[in-house]
Each structure stands twice: as structure tokens, then as C-alpha cells.
């Protein structure tokens, strides 16, 4: 720095990094004598996108908007639909309210796994305590956010026992002791 190492405002540097590079999270900024300041950064994992005002905004794993919005959706990112009102969105802003945190574990898992059993995710919607997962191949899967691990386990067991479950199902509800499964309707042959 161009000033004394003891006069460097580390909090101001943190804010400047966040503003200039919204796709990273500042994990630590430290002074090293005699004349260095070192920042340790972590790239945010982009887990979803939100839509507001006709624009799509990518969202990091901590709820931060990581880039400016654009008119076309980001390919390969599920759309996160939440009941909470979103304020002004822009790079560096946060949507880390309760609705985001209900979906964040599911979004991170889906991002890490590249979807669900080979099926890309189209959207995740938060409705109160419920999480609705929409796959691009059609099925809707319902979880309860406070019992997500149990629902995820049940889904894994069902996929193993019924190989074409996601291909043949229109709806899976994992909120209950016995999962509810509705098959896709077969088109009738009319001759």
C-alpha cells in the first residue's frame, strides 16, 4: 500500500473487493509486516439464478448476486423462485433471506451433482416450508425443507429400486411417510 501498513483500513478493503469482484468472497485480509496486505479469496459457487424485472441474475451459494442481470436466462442454472420479495438486485447484493436458506442446501447438492440422476434441474421453488424441484425432463418433486435429508434419502432409494422413475413420473411427493408418485399419462391411440 502507498501508506503506512497500520493505516490501511482492512474493512474498507473488504468492501472494495466485494464491490469490484462480486463473484468472490473475502475470507481473510491480514497485514504482514513490514509492508504487505494479503487477502484470501474464495470463488463463490454459482447455484441458481433469480428473475426480476425481466432480467436473470446468477446467485452464489451464500445468496449473493454475482453478476449483473441479463435478458436471457443462464444456461445450466436452475431458476430459483421464492415467496420473499427481492429488493433491488445488482452485482454484490444479497438475497440471503429465509427462503434462500431453505433452498440453499438442495441447490448446492444439485449443482455439485450436475442435476438429479442425470436429469438437469429447470427450477426450484420455495413455498413456505416446501421445496418444489422441477426437472427439465418434466417431473416435479416435492420436499419439506426441515426434513430434506430424509426426503433425499427416500428419493435415492426409489431411484435405485425403480430405474425409470424419473423418466416415467410426472410428480413425486416426498413430504409424507409413504411417498406419493403419479405416473405420466399415456397418450391413448385414437383410430
Amino acid at each position: 500500500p502507498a501508506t503506512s501498513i497500520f493505516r490501511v483500513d482492512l474493512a474498507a478493503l473488504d468492501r472494495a473487493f466485494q464491490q469490484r469482484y462480486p463473484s468472490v468472497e473475502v475470507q481473510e485480509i491480514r497485514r504482514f509486516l513490514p509492508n504487505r496486505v494479503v487477502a484470501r479469496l474464495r470463488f463463490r459457487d454459482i447455484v441458481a439464478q433469480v428473475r426480476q424485472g425481466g432480467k436473470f441474475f446468477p446467485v452464489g451459494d451464500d445468496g449473493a448476486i454475482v453478476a449483473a442481470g441479463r435478458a436471457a436466462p443462464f444456461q445450466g442454472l436452475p431458476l430459483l423462485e421464492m415467496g420473499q420479495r427481492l429488493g433491488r438486485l445488482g452485482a454484490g447484493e444479497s438475497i440471503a433471506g429465509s427462503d434462500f436458506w431453505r433452498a440453499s442446501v438442495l441447490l448446492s447438492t444439485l449443482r455439485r451433482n450436475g442435476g438429479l440422476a442425470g436429469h438437469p434441474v429447470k427450477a426450484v421453488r420455495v413455498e413456505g416450508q416446501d421445496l418444489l424441484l422441477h426437472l427439465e425432463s418434466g417431473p416435479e418433486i416435492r420436499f419439506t425443507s426441515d426434513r430434506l435429508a430424509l426426503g433425499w434419502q427416500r428419493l435415492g432409494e426409489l431411484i435405485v429400486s425403480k430405474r425409470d422413475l424419473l423418466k416415467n413420473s410426472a410428480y413425486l411427493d416426498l413430504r409424507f411417510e409413504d411417498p406419493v408418485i403419479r405416473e405420466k399419462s399415456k397418450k391413448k391411440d385414437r383410430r
Side-chain angles (χ1 to χ4, degrees), residues 39-125:
R40 190 164 52 106
L41 309 173
R42 174 188 78 86
F43 279 99
R44 290 185 168 98
D45 188 20
I46 301 171
V47 295
Q49 60 187 314
V50 293
R51 179 175 43 208
Q52 184 181 38
K55 290 189 175 182
F56 294 87
F57 297 85
V59 180
D61 54 356
D62 60 352
I65 302 296
V66 298
R70 65 181 201 185
F74 292 84
Q75 292 297 316
L77 279 181
L79 179 65
L80 175 60
E81 300 170 338
M82 302 181 297
Q84 77 185 47
R85 291 198 55 154
L86 300 176
R88 184 182 144 267
L89 293 184
E93 300 294 326
S94 178
I95 62 163
S98 62
D99 283 353
F100 174 78
W101 291 116
R102 283 192 185 96
S104 66
V105 171
L106 180 61
L107 288 167
S108 292
T109 302
L110 293 168
R111 184 71 177 162
R112 193 171 43 251
N113 295 340
L116 178 61
H119 295 261
V121 177
K122 181 179 178 182
V124 173
R125 190 167 73 233

Side-chain angles (χ1 to χ4, degrees), residues 147-166:
R147 293 185 305 182
L148 183 59
L150 179 62
W152 197 253
Q153 179 183 349
R154 284 184 185 150
L155 181 59
E157 291 166 357
L158 286 168
I159 290 172
V160 168
S161 67
K162 300 178 181 184
R163 285 186 126 6
D164 291 333
L165 176 75
L166 297 177

